[in-house]
């Protein structure tokens, strides 16, 4: 489910199959909303029109913008993922806050990661709050569900190094960075699971002020993806 002008615009721009749209009069009260409605009508999408009050009861936000779209969730298999010669992957291990997962997907897309791999214990990347927080980036940047075992098999077959983000790691950027690299970030309170840490080839950290305890997981992932980006 995609809600809000920007998210539905991103959905229309994607290759995902739309099943239908719920709209209210609020959508036509801004030029941007009017333009979006014209795009919906031009696509010939099935549309249900309701009152603003009825829409508010169905919406998942406090200030709904009068448009909600339903699309088919894509099936993406890890073994079908094609990683370029200098590719980057983001791995989410037990991330439980939908806002963090959405921001992580958005950040991974912005910093050029090929895909984000979602391990068990992480909130559903198609959760409505995740979709809203990611502003539709997962419509083009594919979140891929996998077990830790499947991840290990894939990384070995594709010759991808796995580095984990942890406070006890080496400062990122001080060691040679592999051409193919997956960066794993862990649960907001507990960090990486022991099972995933056992798969990691190295642990990396971010230097911080002595009185700083930690960073938000999405902020940390963004910094590390930038530092560990391909040089060529």
């Amino acid at each position: 489910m995609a809600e809000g002008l920007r998210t539905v615009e991103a959905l229309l721009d994607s290759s995902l199959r739309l099943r239908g749209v719920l709209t209210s009069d609020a959508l036509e009260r801004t030029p941007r909303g009017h333009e979006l409605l014209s795009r919906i009508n031009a696509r010939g999408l099935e549309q249900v029109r309701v009152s603003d009050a009825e829409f508010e009861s169905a919406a998942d936000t406090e200030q709904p913008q009068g448009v909600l779209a339903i699309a088919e969730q894509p099936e993406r298999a890890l073994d079908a993922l094609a990683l370029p010669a200098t590719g980057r992957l983001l791995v989410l291990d037990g991330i439980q806050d939908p806002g963090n997962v959405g921001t992580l997907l958005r950040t991974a897309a912005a910093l050029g990661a090929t895909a984000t791999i979602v391990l068990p214990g992480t909130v559903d990347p198609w959760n409505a709050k995740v979709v809203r927080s990611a502003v539709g980036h997962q419509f083009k940047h594919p979140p891929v569900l996998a077990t830790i075992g499947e991840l290990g098999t894939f990384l070995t077959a594709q010759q991808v190094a796995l580095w984990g983000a942890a406070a006890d790691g080496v400062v990122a950027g001080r060691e040679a960075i592999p051409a193919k690299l997956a960066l794993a970030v862990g649960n907001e309170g507990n960090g990486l699971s022991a099972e995933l840490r056992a798969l990691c080839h190295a642990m990396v950290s971010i230097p911080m002020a002595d009185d700083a305890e930690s960073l938000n997981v999405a902020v940390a992932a963004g910094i590390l993806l930038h530092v560990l980006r391909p040089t060529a």
Side-chain angles (χ1 to χ4, degrees):
M1 182 179 75
E3 184 182 338
L5 295 177
R6 189 173 177 184
T7 305
V8 175
E9 287 169 345
L11 182 56
L12 288 172
D13 289 336
S14 76
S15 60
L16 272 62
R17 181 180 178 186
L18 275 74
R19 301 298 297 271
V21 182
L22 182 70
T23 62
S24 77
D25 291 343
L27 182 59
E28 295 187 86
R29 295 193 182 117
T30 65
R32 185 175 180 180
H34 193 276
E35 180 181 351
L36 178 57
L37 182 60
S38 296
R39 291 184 63 188
I40 292 169
N41 291 334
R43 289 274 293 269
L45 297 170
E46 181 178 349
Q47 182 182 164
V48 176
R49 188 73 166 218
V50 297
S51 68
D52 287 344
E54 290 171 325
F55 189 92
E56 287 180 10
S57 70
D60 195 40
T61 58
E62 294 183 2
Q63 296 180 318
Q65 297 177 304
V67 61
L68 184 156
I70 303 295
E72 291 186 5
Q73 181 176 319
E75 295 184 3
R76 291 164 171 151
L78 184 58
D79 57 8
L81 188 63
L83 191 65
T86 56
R88 295 290 181 267
L89 297 171
L90 180 63
V91 179
L92 309 186
D93 181 30
I95 309 297
Q96 298 178 338
D97 183 84
N100 282 338
V101 172
T103 302
L104 283 159
L105 289 168
R106 186 176 180 181
T107 301
L111 292 174
T114 300
T116 295
I117 300 172
V118 180
L119 299 180
T122 297
V123 68
D124 182 358
W126 298 103
N127 174 296
K129 292 182 180 180
V130 175
V131 173
R132 186 166 61 251
S133 179
V135 201
H137 277 76
Q138 68 265 68
F139 302 150
K140 294 183 178 180
H141 173 81
V144 182
L145 303 179
T147 66
I148 291 181
E150 290 168 341
L151 173 64
T153 299
F154 172 81
L155 296 178
T156 299
Q158 297 291 324
Q159 297 183 313
V160 181
L162 175 63
W163 287 8
D168 60 350
V170 176
V171 173
R174 290 186 179 175
E175 294 186 348
I177 302 171
K180 290 185 178 181
L181 177 64
L183 172 69
V185 293
N187 177 269
E188 292 88 345
N190 301 317
L192 297 170
S193 65
E195 187 178 2
L196 188 62
R197 283 184 70 111
L199 283 182
C200 291
H201 302 98
M203 308 302 290
V204 292
S205 65
I206 300 168
M208 296 189 295
D210 292 338
D211 58 350
E213 186 173 327
S214 63
L215 289 172
N216 170 273
V217 64
V219 173
I223 294 171
L224 289 171
L225 284 173
H226 177 73
V227 171
L228 301 174
R229 67 195 184 281
T231 56

